[in-house]
Amino acid sequence: TQALGNVSIGAGFQSRTRFSDRSDGVIGFNFGLGDPINAVGLDVGLISTSTLRRGPFDGGTVSFKLNRAIAQDLYIAAGVQNAVSFGGTDGGSSVYGVVTQAIRLDEDITQPLSRLYLSAGLGGGQFRSPSDINQGVSSVGAFGSVALRVVEPINAIAEWSGQDLTIGLSIVPFRGLPLVITPAIT
């Protein structure tokens, strides 16, 4: 049984935030507990929002996600984005569910174009359309992503959040060092 599955730290920057001309950044910390293969995994994330404008952890959120492998290469998850907020963040809470399928295009993961990952989900809150959010309509929105392992250190990613299309790369520049760089355009 796996008690502590992962620990990660991340930072993000965007040159222009939604509905403004200002740049901003986030800092995040995530840890996973449990065993999603034989039981259930729990991910807990702490995010510092508006970090460049207000300072680290002057405002932020805590999110939770339960996840489970239901077959080889097939996963489900349900969670609450921004379940707890502090310091006056501008995003609300979002409940969601998602299914992810990994497709083995080549059994050798080190080969180019060896894996394709497809995710599809439904959620409220931030996953709704901008018009529903602006009009205060309580609805459910669809979101999803496609990722292709291009070569061993690089994945190409396209994602629809329910509001925005993002295209980017996930790059692991140093073998054996758990550093991931993800440049993207939204």
Side-chain angles (χ1 to χ4, degrees):
T1 302
Q2 188 176 352
L4 182 63
N6 61 52
V7 175
S8 61
I9 298 171
F13 172 79
Q14 62 186 97
S15 61
R16 186 182 65 80
T17 60
R18 182 184 295 276
F19 308 122
S20 83
D21 290 328
R22 298 186 308 189
S23 60
D24 205 354
V26 298
I27 299 171
F29 172 76
N30 190 81
F31 66 92
L33 302 169
D35 181 356
I37 304 299
N38 298 308
V40 175
L42 169 66
D43 287 347
V44 179
L46 172 62
I47 305 293
S48 170
T49 58
S50 299
T51 301
L52 294 179
R53 287 189 272 168
R54 299 190 318 197
F57 295 102
D58 280 351
T61 65
V62 180
S63 299
F64 302 96
K65 177 179 71 176
L66 292 171
N67 53 81
R68 173 93 166 107
I70 57 174
Q72 181 178 349
D73 298 332
L74 182 61
Y75 309 89
I76 58 171
V80 182
Q81 252 339 60
N82 308 335
V84 177
S85 63
F86 57 93
T89 64
D90 60 359
S93 178
S94 304
V95 176
Y96 68 92
V98 63
V99 175
T100 300
Q101 174 72 57
I103 300 169
R104 298 171 187 237
L105 302 174
D106 189 315
E107 285 302 316
D108 184 354
I109 196 166
T110 64
Q111 293 300 306
L113 309 176
S114 61
R115 295 291 188 276
L116 178 66
Y117 301 92
L118 305 172
S119 293
L122 296 172
Q126 73 185 36
F127 301 107
R128 298 175 299 146
S129 71
S131 63
D132 281 359
I133 291 171
N134 291 336
Q135 295 173 15
V137 174
S138 180
S139 63
V140 174
F143 63 92
S145 67
V146 176
L148 176 65
R149 182 175 202 117
V150 179
V151 293
E152 187 169 356
I154 300 172
N155 288 325
I157 304 166
E159 167 186 278
W160 173 252
S161 69
Q163 299 179 14
D164 297 306
L165 177 63
T166 300
I167 298 173
L169 297 173
S170 176
I171 304 165
V172 180
F174 309 107
R175 184 180 289 227
L177 180 64
L179 171 68
V180 180
I181 300 170
T182 309
I185 296 173
T186 298

